[in-house]
Amino acid sequence: MAQLTERNFNSKDEMTAALAELLQAGLSQGIEQDGEAVLLVSGGSSPAPAYRYLSGVELGWDKITVAMVDERWVEPEHEKSNEAFIKSTLLQDKAANARFVTMKNATVSAEEGADLCESAYAALKKPFDVTILGMGPDGHTASLFPNAKGLEHALTTTNTVCAINAHQSEVTGEITERMSLSLAGIANSKAAVLLISGDEKKAVYEAAKQPGSEYEVPLRAVLNHPDINLTVFWCP
């Protein structure tokens, strides 16, 4: 099992403040210990306020690398691009001085681009200092979607990243081709934070803690991994 800490908050504002504090502490410690820090970021509405707050904080951003947890295989200007989201929320103001490593490259498909992306991520300092994860109502985290093409490889490879092609659903939308951290990539972090909002997702998380298939509920693979130091943030 993962080394698990659960923190419940009364509001999204409380959760945002706690996340910002955790990120600031983790990145500062990384710079102090290693001379640099690496932050792995996810898209989504939950971390956005913390990203905006952090962008204005003096953190030695020129010593911080920001990289993606996952990405849809779309151009950076696409409305569904996580890269565009991170650039508009986190990489502003003082945080504009951070180095940014994206997952999307010029290859036609994520599968073809996986080796190039792996090379870019191999150059990052490891372990990462903080990795931010979200979770979908189908139990996916990063872009590790239930029974997706590439999921078995993602859960077993020692590579940091992997190509995923998910089954189209209300959760994935039309863009099913993704690049994602693998399970090993998620595990290669000093601290991982899973953000959950609402009772519905809390129920999915509680179900993922029970025995069962990691292919049906990929979050279960994260919760079952003995080397992952995971803090779960939940708010209504």
Side-chain angles (χ1 to χ4, degrees):
M1 294 294 291
Q3 303 162 58
L4 192 61
T5 303
E6 296 178 339
R7 298 181 62 182
N8 296 331
F9 302 93
N10 293 319
S11 69
K12 289 186 178 180
D13 286 346
E14 283 187 15
M15 188 167 82
T16 292
L19 177 60
E21 182 180 358
L22 183 151
L23 292 176
Q24 193 170 348
L27 295 174
S28 296
Q29 185 179 54
I31 293 171
E32 184 178 341
Q33 291 179 346
D34 307 320
E36 62 172 319
V38 178
L39 170 64
L40 274 288
V41 291
S42 293
S45 59
S46 293
Y51 293 162
R52 292 189 178 98
Y53 170 79
L54 272 183
S55 69
V57 174
E58 290 284 3
L59 265 180
W61 285 102
D62 58 330
K63 299 179 179 67
I64 295 173
T65 298
V66 175
M68 304 301 305
V69 165
D70 65 327
E71 179 61 283
R72 298 173 180 88
W73 207 250
V74 295
E75 294 304 316
E77 58 272 13
H78 193 283
E79 63 177 3
K80 296 291 188 181
S81 165
N82 281 340
E83 176 178 339
F85 170 79
I86 295 301
K87 286 180 175 178
S88 68
T89 55
L90 177 60
L91 299 177
Q92 300 285 323
D93 197 6
K94 295 178 176 62
N97 291 321
R99 175 175 172 248
F100 180 63
V101 177
T102 185
M103 285 183 149
K104 176 68 170 70
N105 52 50
T107 54
V108 174
S109 69
E111 193 169 353
E112 290 178 32
D115 287 347
L116 193 58
C117 187
E118 179 68 25
S119 295
Y121 274 60
L124 297 176
K125 183 197 81 166
K126 295 183 184 68
F128 309 133
D129 292 285
V130 186
T131 296
I132 301 175
L133 302 172
M135 184 200 74
D138 58 353
H140 84 266
T141 189
S143 276
L144 307 180
F145 286 91
N147 300 307
K149 180 184 177 184
L151 179 61
E152 183 175 0
H153 174 70
L155 298 185
T156 56
T157 184
T158 57
N159 284 358
T160 301
V161 305
C162 55
I164 292 286
N165 204 329
H167 300 288
Q168 189 168 332
S169 69
E170 290 183 7
V171 179
T172 64
E174 294 182 359
I175 304 166
T176 59
E177 193 175 354
R178 315 284 183 104
M179 192 74 76
S180 177
L181 286 184
S182 65
L183 181 61
I186 293 171
N188 206 347
S189 185
K190 295 176 186 176
V193 185
L194 175 66
L195 306 178
I196 303 173
S197 297
D199 291 333
E200 181 184 353
K201 286 192 177 182
K202 182 71 176 295
V204 173
Y205 165 70
E206 293 296 340
K209 289 162 66 175
Q210 305 306 312
S213 169
E214 296 181 352
Y215 297 104
E216 296 287 343
V217 184
L219 177 64
R220 188 172 281 135
V222 175
L223 298 175
N224 287 342
H225 198 294
D227 297 330
I228 292 180
N229 177 20
L230 182 67
T231 301
V232 180
F233 281 13
W234 176 82
C235 72

